[in-house]
Amino acid sequence: MTPAASPARRPAAAESRKRSTLVWIAAVLAPVAGALLIAAAFGVATVRNDSMSPTLHSGDTVVFDRWSTPVRGDVVLLVDREGWSGTADTLLVKRVVGVAGDVVACCEAGSGRLLVNGGPLDEPYATEERPGGDISFRVTVPEGAVWVMGDNRAESADSRLSVSGPGRGAVALEALRGTVRLWWGG
């Protein structure tokens, strides 16, 4: 006959099983919860044209975050609500040139560079002879919006195309899908 388990051992064994079960559940659920958080915070997209050349090219893959507010110089993904692409609600990739309160103007005499708040914008990625483009404008970016342009100004349909519209070319922050954080060639 085996001796009965002592009352002190029975609760310790039950506690050990309970702890093991909780560890197992945490080991299974933690990676799933982490993956869900990452999927909610980040997205992946493919560039479909060369309006961001030389920075990005058609076929490149970008990883973007969905939570940060972009600053001047960031590359963003946005929903084309202005019809710049010719297809409603297309996802576009552009660079933020101006944020709320900025005065963006084209262009500095002589150099053709964009002016932001009266000063020329240094854009080493814009390689054209007139890096600000050929469309003259002067806009103040409203609250809750950004002004965007492609790096390849000659091939980019961007804020400049809507400068005479009600929003003066500004893109509402709600139309942004995220800020690009990483990319690689396709």
Side-chain angles (χ1 to χ4, degrees):
M1 189 163 197
T2 53
S6 71
R9 286 188 177 176
R10 202 172 295 144
E15 279 298 314
S16 178
R17 279 192 303 274
K18 189 178 195 180
R19 201 172 343 199
S20 292
T21 301
L22 289 174
V23 167
W24 182 83
I25 290 170
V28 170
L29 291 181
V32 171
L36 290 172
L37 284 172
I38 289 171
F42 293 94
V44 178
T46 302
V47 177
R48 300 284 179 209
N49 61 47
D50 284 322
S51 74
M52 283 297 295
S53 177
T55 306
L56 298 169
H57 302 279
S58 184
D60 286 356
T61 301
V62 297
V63 175
F64 58 96
D65 77 58
R66 302 177 201 266
W67 71 85
S68 64
T69 301
V71 297
R72 195 179 311 117
D74 279 348
V75 176
V76 295
L77 275 86
L78 62 113
V79 176
D80 182 5
R81 295 192 175 147
E82 296 293 321
W84 299 333
S85 66
T87 307
D89 297 327
T90 297
L91 199 58
L92 302 176
V93 182
K94 303 294 177 191
R95 186 174 301 275
V96 174
V97 174
V99 297
D102 282 349
V103 176
V104 182
C106 183
C107 286
E108 180 182 52
S111 73
R113 294 189 304 175
L114 287 175
L115 297 169
V116 176
N117 301 323
L121 189 59
D122 185 27
E123 298 181 288
Y125 43 79
T127 59
E128 285 93 5
E129 195 172 301
R130 290 187 48 82
D134 293 325
I135 301 170
S136 294
F137 61 85
R138 180 181 171 82
V139 297
T140 300
V141 182
E143 287 300 317
V146 292
W147 177 273
V148 298
M149 294 174 74
D151 291 354
N152 184 356
R153 304 291 156 76
E155 298 297 321
S156 180
D158 49 41
S159 289
R160 297 170 295 167
L161 295 181
S162 299
V163 73
S164 61
R168 307 257 356 239
V171 176
L173 293 176
E174 293 83 37
L176 300 182
R177 289 298 170 254
T179 304
V180 173
R181 298 299 178 196
L182 178 69
W183 62 85
W184 59 89

